[in-house]
Amino acid sequence: MSDTKPPLPARTFDPWPRIPIDTSPDSDFYRLDRIAGSAATGWALGPDGAYAQNRPLADIVDNAVREALLHLLELGLIDIDSERMHAASGWPTRRQAPATEQ
């Protein structure tokens, strides 16, 4: 992955340029995905987890993502680019895969 991020879109609904990510089984992304997935699954399926409490799927997904992000942040494996986040006029809420994945 490149250390240089593409520029933010000029307007709110302009497409965001995507950073190519290596998702192969020997990539850092794959390892990070497994760590985050384990944290989220443990939260959702644990004895006192959301699944056992019969919580709505949307609640389970939102909180599983939160748990995974918190876990990665607490381990220092990811950082929040606050400057970039606050400089954007809006954020896409749906993932648009790079052209090579579509």
Side-chain angles (χ1 to χ4, degrees):
M1 187 173 100
S2 170
D3 289 336
T4 305
K5 295 178 184 175
L8 291 169
R11 297 182 316 214
T12 301
F13 295 109
D14 283 354
W16 278 55
R18 300 297 173 145
I19 299 169
I21 306 294
D22 176 8
T23 60
S24 66
D26 59 340
S27 69
D28 287 341
F29 170 81
Y30 185 84
R31 293 182 70 197
L32 200 62
D33 179 52
R34 297 312 325 134
I35 295 167
S38 292
T41 299
W43 174 85
L45 300 180
D48 298 320
Y51 190 73
Q53 297 173 24
N54 201 27
R55 291 164 80 172
L57 180 59
D59 184 51
I60 292 172
V61 170
D62 285 347
N63 283 284
V65 169
R66 181 182 188 279
E67 183 68 20
L69 287 173
L70 276 172
H71 188 68
L72 296 176
L73 286 163
E74 290 169 347
L75 293 175
L77 297 175
I78 62 171
D79 297 308
I80 297 173
D81 186 340
S82 298
E83 183 178 333
R84 184 173 174 85
M85 185 172 63
H86 295 296
S89 62
W91 307 274
T93 57
R94 296 183 189 266
R95 181 175 177 270
Q96 177 184 347
T100 57
E101 289 186 24
Q102 292 179 348

